[in-house]
Amino acid sequence: MNARPTTAISSVQIRPLVAADAVAYKALRDEALRTAPDAFTSDYESSVGRDASEYVARFGTVESGQFFLGAFDAAGQLLGCLGCEREQRTKQRHCAVLVGMMVSPGAQRQGIGQQLVAACVAAACRVPGLTQLVLTVTASNTHVVHLYEQAGFRAWGLLPRAIVVDGVGFDKLHMVRVLIPDSNDTDP
């Protein structure tokens, strides 16, 4: 029998972040950078002093391909988020990068990350012209690698020592998920 509470999973609401969510987003981001420094390319020390308003530009519309989704509990508290950032160069506009996957430590291992990834993929499928998603994940974080694999992402490369935290190098696994196969493309 599963010991995890199902109420935490079923009561989560996922929606795009808006300017009014900036303070909650910054608090979640600061906590994630502090508690999981090997999971992010950004660092806590450089980010903690930033004003919450600096993040609002990341909260575009889903249709733009530049958006963040947030997972909120029944009381409206932000428990997790995941961003999608569409490439701006003409030749790369078919791609978007998933960034900033964060789940509050107290809400982890309850399916919130899985729900965020599924919702982000579904939203990305509605973006005109967007045909693939890419991401990087710390290779040693096997739980999160597995989460992405379950969502249809597959590894295509490994960058050794992509980040260094307190003198320790961490590899980043590059992953891709095709949204709409292009008849001119071969299997990525």
Side-chain angles (χ1 to χ4, degrees), residues 88-164:
Q88 297 303 306
R89 295 180 183 144
T90 302
K91 294 178 183 179
Q92 293 182 308
R93 297 256 324 136
H94 65 288
C95 289
V97 182
L98 294 192
V99 297
M101 165 63 106
M102 299 173 255
V103 176
S104 177
Q108 291 177 3
R109 309 281 184 179
Q110 297 180 33
I112 294 170
Q114 185 178 33
Q115 290 180 60
L116 281 165
V117 172
C120 197
V121 168
C125 284
R126 297 190 306 269
V127 177
L130 193 59
T131 61
Q132 69 182 18
L133 299 173
V134 296
L135 60 84
T136 63
V137 59
T138 302
S140 59
N141 194 341
T142 56
H143 175 76
V144 178
V145 170
H146 184 65
L147 180 146
Y148 289 128
E149 288 172 341
Q150 286 183 315
F153 286 84
R154 68 179 193 94
W156 63 266
L158 183 75
L159 179 59
R161 292 181 53 84
I163 61 171
V164 177

Side-chain angles (χ1 to χ4, degrees), residues 34-107:
R34 185 181 57 76
T35 60
D38 60 310
F40 303 96
T41 54
S42 296
D43 65 281
Y44 176 79
E45 293 76 14
S46 298
S47 299
V48 71
R50 292 180 66 181
D51 191 84
S53 64
E54 293 181 46
Y55 298 105
V56 173
R58 299 181 98 176
F59 307 157
T61 63
V62 169
E63 296 76 25
S64 72
Q66 177 81 20
F67 61 89
F68 262 78
L69 298 179
F72 295 84
D73 67 12
Q77 179 180 353
L78 181 62
L79 301 176
C81 66
L82 176 60
C84 179
E85 295 181 343
R86 188 175 195 170
E87 295 290 347
Q88 297 303 306
R89 295 180 183 144
T90 302
K91 294 178 183 179
Q92 293 182 308
R93 297 256 324 136
H94 65 288
C95 289
V97 182
L98 294 192
V99 297
M101 165 63 106
M102 299 173 255
V103 176
S104 177

